[in-house]
């Protein structure tokens, strides 16, 4: 029993430490890049979660998501360019595991991006 107790305690401590560790920041490209993201809300038309690269971009992100959702429905899901929040955004589906997601990038400032996820 003494051997079991000595091996179980470090494992239990490591498991507890993992449970207390906050989740990693969201990535714009699902872990391939380094951009951290923030969840802004939900697109009213599609019900998809809307995220942006920076908290200050949430208002624009929700506008972009709404514009892209309208175009996405009209084009059957094809890649599209939308004008929203004072910028032009290039939007389309990105592959990810297990589910793909939609992403729009500001054509004038690639550090600004918006994702729509289920």
């Amino acid at each position: 029993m003494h051997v079991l107790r000595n091996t179980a305690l470090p494992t239990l401590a490591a498991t507890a430490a993992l449970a207390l560790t906050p989740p990693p920041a969201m990535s714009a490209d699902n872990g391939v890049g380094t951009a951290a993201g923030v969840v802004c809300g939900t697109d009213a038309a599609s019900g998809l979660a809307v995220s942006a690269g920076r908290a200050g971009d949430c208002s624009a992100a929700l506008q972009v998501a709404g514009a892209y959702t309208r175009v996405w429905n009209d084009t059957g899901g094809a890649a599209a360019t939308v004008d929203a929040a004072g910028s032009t955004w290039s939007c389309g589906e990105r592959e990810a595991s297990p589910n793909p997601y939609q992403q729009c990038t500001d054509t004038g400032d690639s550090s600004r991006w918006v994702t729509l996820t289920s």
Side-chain angles (χ1 to χ4, degrees), residues 38-118:
V38 60
V39 177
C40 299
T42 304
D43 176 55
S46 67
L48 296 174
V50 178
S51 301
R54 300 180 290 256
D57 287 341
C58 278
S59 177
L62 292 167
Q63 293 175 46
V64 171
Y68 180 50
T69 298
R70 287 186 295 278
V71 171
W72 190 86
N73 287 332
D74 292 342
T75 65
T81 301
V82 297
D83 292 316
S87 296
T88 301
W89 301 78
S90 176
C91 303
E93 186 171 275
R94 305 292 189 268
E95 291 300 318
S97 179
N99 297 314
Y101 61 98
Q102 305 299 318
Q103 182 171 317
C104 298
T105 305
D106 185 336
T107 60
D109 179 359
S110 62
S111 71
R112 295 180 70 202
W113 53 264
V114 174
T115 59
L116 290 90
T117 56
S118 57

Side-chain angles (χ1 to χ4, degrees), residues 1-10:
M1 180 79 169
H2 180 59
V3 173
L4 178 59
R5 185 177 20 225
N6 287 341
T7 59
L9 288 177

